[in-house]
Amino acid sequence: MKYRSVIALMLVLAAAWLAWHLLLVAPKTESSPIAEAPGGHAYQFVAAPDLSWEAARAAAAKLSWQGHNGYLATIDDAAEYQFIMDRIFSHGYPDVTYLGGRQTAPGEWRWVTGPDGAAEGGKGTLFWSGGEQGAVPAGWYANWMSTAFQHGGKWDVAKVCCVSLFSYSVPQFSTSLGTGDSQEHVAGYMVEFGG
């Protein structure tokens, strides 16, 4: 009888530890290897929890691959998006991952890093106009989550600045405060090389 109680207690403790480990402790997110895409570009996810967008931008600019400087990735079309999903995130999606886009004026979303950042005299390439009812300019691409443009609260569209992937691990564009706020669960940033 005494041994049954000990075994039962051990099983309860083991189950509690397993539940805590699987449900409450976030798995460690690791950086990906660099993946070379057709056309001479390459991409890498860099794990950097709770980093700000500006710090991610600076860190990406310090990286290089085969003589190409890094920058926060810009996603110009569906094929590029699919390559990133298939090659960089084929084993799962982290949480908030910064891209090189910003809201430069209310409802004006631009790619502001890399070659796209030089467009319009350094203003950046406009890839989305408006909020949830906005539009993609001809020839560009956007894949927003339905909840990307919130009205009210901490993540109100007037307060967010930056474009990210994977809010709540959903593989679509979202918005971010860009501050590295721990409640956003920033996992890291996406670097693009080439261009």
Side-chain angles (χ1 to χ4, degrees):
M1 184 76 163
K2 183 178 178 181
Y3 293 111
R4 284 187 185 167
S5 297
V6 171
I7 290 172
L9 178 61
M10 289 174 57
L11 288 173
V12 167
L13 290 175
W17 177 86
L18 185 61
W20 172 80
H21 184 72
L22 294 176
L23 300 175
L24 299 178
V25 176
K28 183 181 178 196
T29 303
E30 296 183 4
S31 297
S32 74
I34 294 173
E36 186 173 1
H41 286 243
Y43 302 86
Q44 181 181 29
F45 167 75
V46 176
D50 300 331
L51 192 68
S52 72
W53 187 90
E54 286 294 344
R57 182 182 195 171
K62 292 177 183 175
L63 300 175
S64 65
W65 171 80
Q66 295 187 356
H68 298 285
N69 292 331
Y71 53 91
L72 289 180
T74 61
I75 300 177
D76 296 337
D77 58 46
E80 184 177 19
Y81 173 83
Q82 197 59 55
F83 176 86
I84 290 168
M85 293 301 111
D86 293 345
R87 295 291 304 279
I88 302 298
F89 300 109
S90 61
H91 299 295
Y93 307 128
D95 213 339
V96 173
T97 300
Y98 292 130
L99 296 175
R102 289 188 67 96
Q103 181 173 216
T104 56
E108 186 176 279
W109 296 88
R110 294 178 178 271
W111 295 123
V112 296
T113 60
D116 288 337
E120 293 189 40
K123 202 172 173 183
T125 300
L126 182 68
F127 73 94
W128 185 260
S129 291
E132 62 273 10
Q133 301 300 318
V136 177
W140 293 98
Y141 176 79
N143 183 8
W144 293 102
M145 289 178 60
S146 62
T147 58
F149 303 101
Q150 296 182 25
H151 300 282
K154 188 171 186 172
W155 288 276
D156 184 272
V157 71
K159 297 176 185 175
V160 295
C161 67
C162 308
V163 179
S164 65
L165 283 173
F166 310 124
S167 185
Y168 307 107
S169 298
V170 174
Q172 291 180 295
F173 293 179
S174 191
T175 57
S176 169
L177 297 170
T179 62
D181 184 307
S182 63
Q183 289 183 341
E184 280 198 308
H185 305 285
V186 173
Y189 56 94
M190 182 64 130
V191 182
E192 183 171 355
F193 304 95

